[in-house]
Amino acid sequence: MAEPFVTGPLDTDRRTGTSTTDVRTRRTGTTLLITIDRPRARNSVNAEVAALLAGALDELEADPGLRAGVLTGAEGTFSAGMDLKAALRGESPSIPGRGFGGVTEADRTKPLIAAVEGWAMGGGFELALACDLIVAAQDAHFGLPEVKRGLIAAGGGVIRLPRRIPYHLAMEMLLTGDPVSGRRAGELGLANRVVPAGQAVPEALLLAERLAANAPLALAAVKAVARAADGAPEAEAFAAQRTVMSELMATADVREGMTAFAERRAPQWTGK
């Protein structure tokens, strides 16, 4: 896990999870709902939002009672990406070691689900690509229009999109800058769930509950192995997996999972 990113107070009411900043967090059971709340700026990311998102991910990682996170945007828009006005003022929407929005290069052990309504453009799309799962509204739009501004999608878009969908389709999106709908994202296998407008967050929270029923250390191990295997030769991938499995097999949760199966009861995970 990356070193905690220290910011000022999030001005958060821990009883309700509400916040007066541009990023709100709310605990729902074992899930942390993280909402970018700059609707007047189409939930674009400036330096403050990046710092607050990094802090929210630290909150998710540090709390043993939280099993997964859901990332979304307020008022029907996921995120328009980089705040261009702030960038022209010299603000950076990236954090060293954590990438765009404090998310795209962050080292996370817990699953993060993107709940996408409306537009996920540029860096907004890259935030979604950095998540482990994506739930999209049918009328959502995903796009990487950076080439239309003389740029490239350097927050992970150029790297990740060709790994998520067929190469030629990814290159079409990257080279034209044209968006695709949520429905099309589902057809391409980019979205895990495609739902009616307004239902992305509820569906993502249900999906997070399904993840939370499983052993937290096993979820972290899946993420670790998948990350190590991405682009690596098969022999290196298996070597990395053996290391992770050796550590996992020594945990109390593995024994609990086997015992619960033998006793025909639900396991009681401790994360140890």
Side-chain angles (χ1 to χ4, degrees), residues 6 10 12-13 21 33 36 55 82-83 104 119 154-155 169 207-209 231 248 250 256-257 270:
V6 180
L10 290 182
T12 300
D13 183 340
T21 66
L33 177 62
I36 304 173
M82 179 171 63
D83 184 332
T104 61
W119 293 89
L169 298 178
L207 191 52
E209 287 182 12
L248 188 63
E256 167 62 11
T270 63

Side-chain angles (χ1 to χ4, degrees), residues 182-256:
R183 187 184 300 276
R184 179 58 174 160
E187 294 171 350
L188 295 174
L190 186 61
N192 298 82
R193 304 279 191 278
V194 179
V195 297
Q199 295 302 306
V201 168
E203 183 66 23
L205 291 173
L206 288 174
L207 191 52
E209 287 182 12
R210 291 186 61 190
L211 303 183
N214 299 318
L217 293 179
L219 296 178
V222 167
K223 283 176 55 63
V225 173
R227 183 170 59 249
D230 189 10
E234 193 171 87
E236 291 182 15
F238 273 103
Q241 180 175 266
R242 281 191 289 272
T243 299
V244 173
M245 278 298 297
S246 176
E247 297 172 353
L248 188 63
M249 290 300 294
T251 65
D253 271 0
V254 165
R255 184 171 184 81
E256 167 62 11

Side-chain angles (χ1 to χ4, degrees), residues 3-94:
E3 289 297 315
F5 186 79
V6 180
T7 69
L10 290 182
D11 195 17
T12 300
D13 183 340
R14 295 294 177 182
R15 293 171 298 172
T16 64
T18 59
S19 172
T20 58
T21 66
D22 289 337
V23 173
R24 294 185 283 111
T25 62
R26 176 166 61 88
R27 181 169 180 154
T28 302
T30 59
T31 302
L32 185 68
L33 177 62
I34 304 167
T35 305
I36 304 173
D37 191 9
R38 299 186 73 212
R40 292 183 180 179
R42 297 196 299 164
N43 298 324
S44 58
V45 178
N46 57 14
E48 180 186 9
V49 169
L52 292 169
L53 285 174
L57 291 186
D58 282 344
E59 180 182 350
L60 173 62
E61 288 289 318
D63 190 334
L66 291 170
R67 300 290 180 83
V70 170
L71 177 63
T72 194
E75 297 189 22
T77 294
F78 185 74
S79 173
M82 179 171 63
D83 184 332
L84 295 178
K85 293 180 180 179
L88 288 172
R89 293 194 300 268
E91 287 189 31
S92 173
S94 297

Side-chain angles (χ1 to χ4, degrees), residues 91-136:
E91 287 189 31
S92 173
S94 297
I95 294 175
R98 295 192 177 218
F100 179 80
V103 175
T104 61
E105 298 176 52
D107 185 10
R108 298 176 288 101
T109 65
K110 296 181 181 180
L112 186 62
I113 304 171
V116 180
E117 298 277 355
W119 293 89
M121 299 296 288
F125 188 9
E126 290 172 314
L127 292 177
L129 285 171
C131 294
D132 301 291
L133 305 172
I134 297 176
V135 175

Side-chain angles (χ1 to χ4, degrees), residues 148-180:
K148 297 177 182 290
R149 301 291 181 266
L151 300 168
I152 68 169
V158 175
I159 295 170
R160 290 191 169 113
L161 190 60
R163 296 177 178 177
R164 302 290 191 269
I165 64 175
Y167 174 83
H168 292 107
L169 298 178
M171 292 304 289
E172 180 180 348
M173 291 185 67
L174 288 164
L175 296 174
T176 65
D178 294 338
V180 298

